[in-house]
Amino acid sequence: MGTRDSTRNRLLDATDEVVFAGGDTTAPVDRILERAGVSPATLYRAYGSKEELVAAALDRRHREWLDAWDAAVARAATDRGRLLAVFDALEEFEARDDGARWCAFLGTAAGYADPPPVLAAAVRQDSDSLRVRLQTLAEPVAGPRAGELAEAVLLVVSGHLAMRLRPGAAGAPVSAAREVASVLVDHAARARR
């Protein structure tokens, strides 16, 4: 017998709340099950393991993040604006009701010295999509140096997300990260001319 979508969503929501929003990557599965109001058998029937459940929650968060980023890119009027739209998306994503105080992917990566393959793949998917999308958006701005610019912007994005974990910095403004990235983008654009 399969698991209903509503039950699967309750498990995903509980994982998001406990592990990502709550910031407890090592939370025992019992806490997730209690939050979801389901039995261990239901979890294992639906996902097979806690790691598979966390990976599914990461996948859902990744799709939501890409949707927010796509919307921010679509609103931008210039190539520079489309590249910097990642910061608009970050600001919007962080302000959501289910926003976390940290990046679910960085938190997952930090929570496991040697992550199970399913979690390593989920983190790698996020890293790869950030890198590829930033490089694509950087090409009209930086031309042949788009890869270098994308890596620099990725470093700023990751730095902003990591700063949110420092005590007293949970409200670190995205605007500061945007300003740093703007300098990098403008420098790359001038160097291209």
Side-chain angles (χ1 to χ4, degrees):
M1 173 159 66
T3 308
R4 289 183 287 186
D5 287 342
S6 62
T7 302
R8 293 175 73 85
N9 284 328
R10 281 200 334 261
L11 280 161
L12 292 172
D13 292 344
T15 302
D16 206 69
E17 290 172 28
V18 171
V19 178
F20 306 146
D24 190 359
T25 59
T26 60
V29 73
D30 294 345
R31 282 192 47 218
I32 297 169
L33 295 173
E34 181 180 330
R35 176 77 65 148
V38 301
S39 69
T42 301
L43 163 69
Y44 296 113
R45 186 173 53 249
Y47 291 102
S49 69
K50 176 188 174 190
E51 290 77 18
E52 292 280 346
L53 171 61
V54 172
L58 286 169
D59 185 60
R60 181 176 75 168
R61 188 167 272 262
H62 184 249
R63 287 190 314 269
E64 291 169 354
W65 159 244
L66 293 181
D67 289 346
W69 192 2
D70 286 345
V73 168
R75 289 190 305 269
T78 65
D79 291 334
R80 180 184 186 276
R82 284 183 280 280
L83 176 55
L84 293 172
V86 67
F87 297 100
D88 296 329
L90 275 173
E91 194 165 47
E92 293 165 17
F93 205 74
E94 290 171 4
R96 294 176 1 163
D97 288 340
D98 64 344
R101 70 178 264 267
W102 64 350
C103 170
F105 297 92
L106 290 177
T108 301
Y112 292 88
D114 184 22
V118 68
L119 293 179
V123 171
R124 191 171 38 257
Q125 174 188 15
D126 179 66
S127 298
D128 291 348
S129 70
L130 276 166
R131 186 168 278 115
V132 167
R133 282 170 166 250
L134 286 171
Q135 181 163 346
T136 299
L137 293 166
E139 286 171 358
V141 175
R145 298 191 66 186
E148 294 170 30
L149 178 57
E151 287 298 317
V153 173
L154 178 58
L155 182 62
V156 174
V157 168
S158 297
H160 165 74
L161 293 169
M163 283 299 297
R164 292 173 54 85
L165 291 173
R166 294 192 178 271
V174 175
S175 60
R178 174 192 282 282
E179 282 301 313
V180 172
S182 293
V183 170
L184 296 169
V185 169
D186 292 344
H187 175 74
R190 281 193 302 277
R192 185 175 185 206
R193 292 183 199 142

